[in-house]
């Protein structure tokens, strides 16, 4: 049993939680890993010094530490470990905006939406926009290299991280990068920590690149009678231009969203696309016209185009709501597989075949413009036979993505739920190299044990 009094003595009075009812809410992230452990305590850090003190103590006593942001992760990356510490950054919420350099310096506990709002007050924009942007933390976004709906044009989190402060496993804080838009001094260590899922260090501050406010957008919505027609339209659009958004929902998602939002979506459609252009001036209408034509030529049943921002945002909101809507059909096993765009049709049709073979409901939604799909496997955990079929489908979808030259995770991270497939994607040499890096930075293996490797 670890001596928590020693740890508590190095931290603010209310930083350490040991009450069983309170720490129970920190055992899982949104993946709801059934194998989650029970931590000895939760540390709610308020600053870098709190994180450093916690890691020094944990490293000395060989106590595992699981870093945690808002708990919205979907791969079990913040699953608690028995007897360990959950290190929460939810109280670390300072932010400053420099409109001259177009940068933001933020602590990890801020929500993505809060960073966006703070930037908007200066006429600036922080682009990465996970569907959960209203509830996910910016620190968690960096830890998993989160993406979102607009990353088909604007890139993912790593494209906006200029620098950070990160605390290593032994409690040493280090600063990497900074507000410089060009900087090639030394190794690109900042990029090493983005997407490292808390297994190399704990991020306590981020310097983010901001853009001018996004121009007005034109939105195209199209429905299709077949999945094949929808994927043909996706390839036709991306062959012509780079849209600001290109999202996909299958029939299960369409109906689940319509059940909740009552938007008069076509319940008979096999697929729905939501595409956007934010090209300047008259070019937005031109690009929207190209997207309309691509959908029509692919055989769309209906195509709708609007330049009204509220009308367009309603369809984007419908796509963002797809995961919670499908989840109301039953608990989910959430996939996050991606493939090169030319193989997208094979992935979507392959997932449909897997669902039919195992007799499980699998809804596919996707950031279609960059080939990142989210197959959502609905199952009843109290039904052992159905759960087994769902897990077999989960495994086969992973295998299919790898076979198509894709990835087991486009933006959610490997966490604990997907690590068994990581060697199949990366190969033994890259896994060995990753272990060497992990061992060099965390020789006692205290940081997020069980995740990724």
């Amino acid at each position: 049993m670890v001596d928590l009094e020693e740890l508590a003595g190095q931290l603010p009075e209310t930083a350490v939680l040991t009450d069983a009812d309170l720490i129970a809410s920190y055992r899982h992230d949104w993946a709801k890993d059934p194998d989650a452990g029970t931590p000895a305590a939760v540390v709610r850090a308020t600053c870098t010094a709190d994180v450093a003190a916690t890691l020094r103590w944990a490293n000395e006593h060989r106590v595992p530490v699981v870093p945690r942001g808002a708990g919205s992760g979907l791969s079990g990356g913040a699953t608690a470990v028995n007897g360990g510490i959950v290190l929460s950054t939810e109280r670390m919420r300072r932010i400053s905006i420099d409109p001259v350099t177009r940068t933001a310096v933020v602590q990890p506990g801020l929500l993505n939406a809060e960073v966006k709002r703070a930037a908007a007050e200066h006429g600036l924009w922080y682009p990465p926009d996970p569907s959960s942007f209203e509830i996910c933390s910016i620190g968690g976004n960096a830890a998993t290299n989160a993406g979102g709906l607009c990353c088909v044009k604007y890139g993912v989190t790593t494209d906006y991280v200029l620098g950070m402060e990160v605390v290593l496993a032994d409690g040493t804080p280090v600063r990497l990068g900074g507000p410089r838009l060009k900087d090639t001094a030394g190794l690109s260590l900042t990029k090493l920590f983005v997407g490292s899922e808390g297994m190399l260090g704990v991020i306590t501050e981020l310097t983010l690149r901001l853009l001018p406010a996004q121009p007005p957008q034109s939105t195209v919505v199209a429905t299709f009678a077949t999945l094949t027609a929808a994927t043909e339209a996706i390839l036709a659009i991306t062959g012509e231009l780079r849209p600001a958004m290109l999202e996909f929902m299958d029939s299960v998602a369409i109906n689940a969203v319509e059940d909740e939002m009552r938007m008069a979506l076509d319940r008979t459609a096999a697929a729905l696309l939501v595409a956007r252009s934010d090209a300047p001036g008259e070019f937005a209408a031109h690009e929207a016209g190209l997207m309309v034509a691509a959908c029509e030529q692919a055989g769309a049943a209906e195509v709708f185009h609007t330049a009204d921002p509220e009308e367009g945002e309603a369809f984007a909101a419908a796509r963002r709501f797809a995961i919670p809507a499908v989840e109301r059909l039953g608990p989910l096993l959430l996939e996050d597989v991606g493939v090169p765009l030319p193989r997208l049709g094979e992935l979507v049709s392959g997932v449909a075949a897997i669902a039919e073979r195992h007799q499980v409901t699998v809804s596919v939604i996707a950031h279609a413009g960059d080939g990142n799909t989210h197959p959502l496997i609905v199952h009843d955990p109290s039904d052992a036979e159905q759960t087994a079929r769902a897990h077999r489908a989960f495994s086969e979808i992973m295998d299919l993505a790898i076979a198509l030259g894709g990835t087991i995770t486009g933006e959610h991270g490997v966490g604990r739920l997907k690590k068994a497939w990581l060697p199949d994607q990366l190969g033994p040499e890259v896994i060995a190299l990753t272990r060497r890096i992990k061992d060099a930075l965390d020789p006692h293996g205290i940081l997020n044990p069980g995740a990724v490797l």
Side-chain angles (χ1 to χ4, degrees), residues 101 129 131 151 212 216 223-224 232 266 285 348 356 378 404:
T101 61
D129 62 339
S131 293
C151 55
T223 57
F224 299 85
E232 287 177 356
D266 181 0
V348 172
E356 183 177 0
V378 182
L404 294 174

Side-chain angles (χ1 to χ4, degrees), residues 317-337:
R319 164 58 188 86
R320 293 183 192 280
F321 187 62
I323 291 180
V326 174
E327 192 170 29
R328 297 184 186 190
L329 303 178
L332 302 179
L333 286 173
L334 294 111
E335 295 266 18
D336 174 36
V337 295

Side-chain angles (χ1 to χ4, degrees), residues 5 21 26 45 49 53 79 85 112 114 144 159 166-167 169 176 200 207 226 264 282 361-362 366-367 378 391 409:
E5 290 187 6
D21 291 335
Y26 290 84
T79 298
I85 299 295
N112 179 292
E114 292 174 318
T144 58
D159 299 306
V166 60
V167 181
L176 305 171
L200 301 180
T207 301
T226 67
E282 62 186 27
T361 297
V362 182
H367 307 305
V378 182
H391 280 277
T409 174

Side-chain angles (χ1 to χ4, degrees), residues 269-337:
L272 179 147
L273 296 185
V274 181
R276 277 181 169 174
S277 169
D278 64 357
E282 62 186 27
F283 292 105
H286 173 69
E287 287 193 350
L290 291 176
M291 292 190 288
V292 168
C295 292
E296 290 176 340
Q297 289 168 15
E302 184 179 5
V303 184
F304 170 75
H305 168 224
T306 180
D308 181 271
E310 292 187 6
E311 203 168 31
E313 185 54 35
F315 285 100
R319 164 58 188 86
R320 293 183 192 280
F321 187 62
I323 291 180
V326 174
E327 192 170 29
R328 297 184 186 190
L329 303 178
L332 302 179
L333 286 173
L334 294 111
E335 295 266 18
D336 174 36
V337 295

Side-chain angles (χ1 to χ4, degrees), residues 84-153:
I85 299 295
V86 171
L87 178 53
S88 169
T89 59
E90 65 191 305
R91 290 184 165 184
M92 301 179 68
R93 296 180 45 79
R94 289 198 300 272
I95 182 170
S96 63
I97 306 288
D98 184 345
V100 176
T101 61
R102 294 178 180 167
T103 58
V105 177
V106 306
Q107 288 189 312
L110 283 161
L111 302 183
N112 179 292
E114 292 174 318
V115 175
K116 288 183 184 296
R117 285 197 292 268
E121 291 175 2
H122 297 271
L124 299 171
W125 178 42
Y126 178 67
D129 62 339
S131 293
S132 59
F133 77 104
E134 294 177 318
I135 62 170
C136 62
S137 72
I138 204 72
N141 289 177
T144 58
N145 193 20
L149 279 69
C150 76
C151 55
V152 58
K153 182 172 183 178

